[in-house]
């Protein structure tokens, strides 16, 4: 266990390294039918047992010919000896003849090119053409897409539409996937009321619950939602116990600072193990990480923007590892800044930003004018973060690191 230093800030990279090193996959496997597999994490690497396509196929409507039958010069004239629609078997092509053929139909044995119908003049059972196709023209060879024995999908990938389509193309009906991980969540703060309830002037609506619900849904998690929990140590501990027995990961918001009403951190210290809690990032400094009854725990700050940012930066990697995915640090895009950021901060900053075209039509990145961690509007305006290293400033025209939101929770 790392010592829980209550003064020094842990650097972002160090915090991320500690977090990702401590997490391991839950790993419960279940077989699902293809149409239930979207968004699930593949539990085994898949190899194809067949060639796709299984034989040479035409990629055009036209005529299959043997290039050896082409006239030495000028017009080639050939009788049509068979007709091959898609889905029908072909017989070997008689020398000195052509086969009428359609897209996706098998190329007859002996034929080595397909000439597209637009280049052919047909007169009853005879064709003539000037074109001089070369061997292999408009033919997709057997195994053009996939060769038998090839690995087509890697264990740990999150299945997208095209992955499932590819599995279907090799004839698979079911896929082994990991069961969704269960994420328990609750929200602290006596100032919170739920949308739909009456709002007194000294209260605010609970938004974190709904932001987290969306983020966890986007990541394919099963959600155990315990709702609002009052600002007392007893209630917080009871909720923590309850969540830890019902989930693979517990995520909370609020109550992790040093305030007298911040019971989440204290509850974890009493019930489990607190591994770190102050990270040198902005927004999001107080972030608790630990375990309770063997279940991973992440206590996010209360500020709505901090919740969104710390979820992207720390909860997403944690969830991906628990899900059995290969976690990879998001790849940033170097882009020209369309803003000045003159004030350096000792913490790494994640500014809410968006891509725009400037007057010359070039892609540049802008930042939302109000970067206060309570301004949730900034996350709606933005489509990503600009990551600014510790003690850095930015002038318009500098190259900055842009990170699209979708890279985190896709
Ligand atoms: P805390 O970390 O508990 O001190 O909360 C920090 C700030 O975030 C306070 O202004 C809280 O009112 C606000 N906050 C905490 N939880 C929520 C929530 N669920 N929805 C919206 N704002 C919240
Ligand atoms: Mg609070």
């Amino acid at each position: 266990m790392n010592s829980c230093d209550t003064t020094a800030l842990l650097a972002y990279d160090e915090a991320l390294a500690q977090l990702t090193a401590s997490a391991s996959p839950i790993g419960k496997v279940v077989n699902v039918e293809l149409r239930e597999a979207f968004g699930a994490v593949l539990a085994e690497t898949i190899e194809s047992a067949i060639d796709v396509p299984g034989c040479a196929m035409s990629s055009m409507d036209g005529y299959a010919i043997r290039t050896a039958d082409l006239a030495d010069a000028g017009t080639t004239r050939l009788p049509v000896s068979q007709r091959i629609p898609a889905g029908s078997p072909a017989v070997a092509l008689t020398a000195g003849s052509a086969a009428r053929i359609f897209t996706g139909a098998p190329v007859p044995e002996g034929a080595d090119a397909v000439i597209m119908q637009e280049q052919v003049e047909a007169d009853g059972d005879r064709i003539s053409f000037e074109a001089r196709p070369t061997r292999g023209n408009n033919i997709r060879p057997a195994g053009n897409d996939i060769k038998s024995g090839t690995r087509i999908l890697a264990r740990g990938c999150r299945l997208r539409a095209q992955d499932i389509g590819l599995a279907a193309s090799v004839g698979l009906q079911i896929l082994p996937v990991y069961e969704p991980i269960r994420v328990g969540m609750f929200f602290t703060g006596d100032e919170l009321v739920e949308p739909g309830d009456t709002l007194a002037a000294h209260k605010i609506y609970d938004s974190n619950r709904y932001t987290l619900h969306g983020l966890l849904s986007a990541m394919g998690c099963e959600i155990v939602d315990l709702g609002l929990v009052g600002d007392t140590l007893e209630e917080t501990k009871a909720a923590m116990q309850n969540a830890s027995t019902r989930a693979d990961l517990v995520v909370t918001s609020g109550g992790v600072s040093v305030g007298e009403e911040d019971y989440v951190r204290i509850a974890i210290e009493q019930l489990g193990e607190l591994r770190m809690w102050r990270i040198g990032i902005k927004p999001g400094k107080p972030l608790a990480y630990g375990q309770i009854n063997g279940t991973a725990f992440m206590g996010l700050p209360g500020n709505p923007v901090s919740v969104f940012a710390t979820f992207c930066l720390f909860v997403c990697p944690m969830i991906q590892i628990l899900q059995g995915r290969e976690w990879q640090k998001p790849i940033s895009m170097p882009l020209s800044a369309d803003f000045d950021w003159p004030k350096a901060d000792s913490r790494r900053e994640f500014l809410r930003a968006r891509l725009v075209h400037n007057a010359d039509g070039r892609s540049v990145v802008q930042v939302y004018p109000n970067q206060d961690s309570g301004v949730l509007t900034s996350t709606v305006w933005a489509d990503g973060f600009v990551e600014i290293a510790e003690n850095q400033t930015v002038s318009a025209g500098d190259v900055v690191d842009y990170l699209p939101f979708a890279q985190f929770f896709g």
Side-chain angles (χ1 to χ4, degrees), residues 96-117:
S97 79
R100 178 71 169 123
I101 196 163
F102 298 89
T103 307
V107 174
E109 205 189 305
D112 59 6
V114 169
I115 175 163
M116 57 198 282
Q117 63 189 22

Side-chain angles (χ1 to χ4, degrees), residues 43 139 226:
I139 293 178
L226 302 185

Side-chain angles (χ1 to χ4, degrees), residues 93-364:
L93 184 66
T94 315
S97 79
R100 178 71 169 123
I101 196 163
F102 298 89
T103 307
V107 174
E109 205 189 305
D112 59 6
V114 169
I115 175 163
M116 57 198 282
Q117 63 189 22
E118 289 81 355
Q119 296 181 324
V120 171
E121 210 142 295
D123 180 14
D125 282 352
R126 305 195 65 79
I127 59 167
S128 58
F129 52 91
E130 309 289 325
R132 303 197 61 79
T134 54
R135 293 189 65 158
N137 273 186
N138 302 321
I139 293 178
R140 297 184 177 132
N144 186 42
D145 183 1
I146 299 166
K147 298 215 171 16
S148 176
T150 311
R151 293 176 173 202
I152 57 164
L153 294 170
R155 184 173 70 88
C157 73
R158 185 158 186 226
L159 293 162
R160 304 163 299 171
Q162 60 269 45
D163 300 321
I164 297 167
L166 197 70
S169 80
V170 304
L172 293 173
Q173 285 181 291
I174 56 163
L175 287 170
V177 299
Y178 293 118
E179 274 184 6
I181 66 158
R182 296 162 307 162
V183 180
M185 59 181 192
F186 65 87
F187 306 87
T188 70
D190 285 346
E191 71 278 33
L192 303 172
V193 296
E194 286 301 312
D197 291 347
T198 313
L199 187 74
H202 54 282
K203 303 263 184 177
I204 58 165
Y205 284 123
D206 168 16
S207 60
N208 291 343
R209 185 182 194 176
Y210 302 90
T211 306
L212 275 183
H213 195 278
L215 288 166
L216 291 168
S217 303
M219 295 201 74
C221 300
E222 193 181 305
I223 298 167
V224 181
D225 184 357
L226 302 185
L228 293 181
V229 169
D231 277 327
T232 68
L233 185 57
E234 290 65 40
E235 277 184 73
T236 309
K237 280 169 77 171
M240 202 74 85
Q241 287 284 15
N242 183 1
S244 70
T245 55
R246 293 168 60 189
D248 304 306
L249 168 68
V250 177
V251 179
T252 63
S253 88
V256 284
S257 323
V258 278
E260 285 162 25
E261 303 281 330
D262 292 321
Y263 295 110
V264 170
R265 195 171 51 79
I266 302 166
I268 277 292
E269 279 173 334
Q270 292 189 7
L271 295 172
E273 182 187 24
L274 182 69
R275 293 191 177 156
M276 58 169 143
W277 75 284
R278 289 178 85 224
I279 299 172
I281 59 164
K282 193 177 173 185
K285 178 175 62 182
L287 177 108
Y289 165 61
Q291 63 82 25
I292 167 171
N293 301 322
T295 301
F297 163 79
M298 300 187 78
L300 310 186
N303 277 309
V305 178
S306 306
V307 164
F308 185 82
T310 52
F311 186 94
C312 291
L313 300 174
F314 296 105
V315 183
C316 287
M318 176 59 122
I319 287 178
Q320 291 188 17
I321 294 169
L322 295 177
Q323 285 176 324
R325 294 163 73 179
E326 285 294 324
W327 181 75
Q328 213 200 343
K329 202 171 175 192
I331 298 167
S332 61
M333 296 160 60
L335 281 166
S336 179
D338 192 28
F339 63 91
D340 290 310
W341 194 253
K343 217 171 119 236
D345 198 295
S346 59
R347 291 186 275 164
R348 187 166 309 194
E349 294 185 88
F350 291 89
L351 308 179
R352 274 68 68 212
R354 76 176 178 198
L355 271 179
V356 291
H357 284 138
N358 69 5
D360 304 331
R362 275 194 316 120
S363 302
V364 293

